[in-house]
């Protein structure tokens, strides 16, 4: 006579951890208030940084082209080389003020939400 009433159960902690890790990949991300505050704070300087780096890099390249025209080719390229180099210097000099302006503008846009989240997280003040 066969006894089919037995119960077999195997539990593996590593297997359960793997199942939970896979399940978390497919669940919608639940961003808490602190993570949102950090993300907003980081995001305020991203655009200004990217634009300033691009402006500085292009200005540096223009300065190099102007120097090459002035020093290597000379003659008819001397004056255009000076003009191109001066434009490159102006672009490099403008990179930091542009960064500050864009960052201040983005911080002003994000300020109400950041302040609301900061107040929510810090709780009531005495």
């Amino acid at each position: 006579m066969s006894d089919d009433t037995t119960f077999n159960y195997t539990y593996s902690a590593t297997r359960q951890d793997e199942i939970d890790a896979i399940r978390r990949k497919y669940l919608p991300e639940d961003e808490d208030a602190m993570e949102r505050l950090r993300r907003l704070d980081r995001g305020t300087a991203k655009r200004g940084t990217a634009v300033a780096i691009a402006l500085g890099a292009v200005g540096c390249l223009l300065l190099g082209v102007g120097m090459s025209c002035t020093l290597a080719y000379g003659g008819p390229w001397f004056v255009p080389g000076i003009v191109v180099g001066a434009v490159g210097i102006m672009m490099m000099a403008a990179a930091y003020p542009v960064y500050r302006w864009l960052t201040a503008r983005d911080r002003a846009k994000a300020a109400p939400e950041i302040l609301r989240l900061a107040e929510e997280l810090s709780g009531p003040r005495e």
Side-chain angles (χ1 to χ4, degrees):
M1 174 181 220
S2 152
D3 190 11
D4 289 334
T5 59
T6 61
F7 178 74
N8 293 326
Y9 179 76
T10 57
Y11 174 77
S12 171
T14 57
R15 183 176 180 203
Q16 190 62 37
D17 290 341
E18 183 179 0
I19 292 169
D20 288 341
I22 292 171
R23 186 174 62 81
R24 277 192 301 271
K25 285 184 202 177
Y26 295 95
L27 289 174
E29 289 189 26
D30 190 24
E31 185 178 49
D32 65 336
M34 189 63 193
E35 273 303 313
R36 180 160 169 74
L37 182 65
R38 287 182 184 130
R39 184 176 53 80
L40 284 170
D41 185 45
R42 280 190 311 263
T44 57
K46 281 186 179 180
R47 187 168 54 144
T49 302
V51 170
I53 288 173
L55 198 60
V58 170
C60 187
L61 290 173
L62 285 177
L63 177 63
V65 168
M67 286 175 49
S68 295
C69 289
T70 303
L71 297 174
Y73 302 117
W77 291 101
F78 189 79
V79 174
I82 291 175
V83 172
V84 170
V87 169
I89 290 172
M90 287 187 271
M91 288 178 72
M92 288 188 303
Y96 184 64
V98 166
Y99 162 77
R100 284 188 19 208
W101 176 71
L102 284 174
T103 302
R105 195 173 76 176
D106 288 346
R107 282 184 179 154
K109 284 181 185 177
E113 179 69 11
I114 288 175
L115 292 175
R116 185 192 65 76
L117 284 170
E119 187 67 31
E120 177 184 313
L121 288 170
S122 65
R125 299 217 174 188
E126 295 178 9

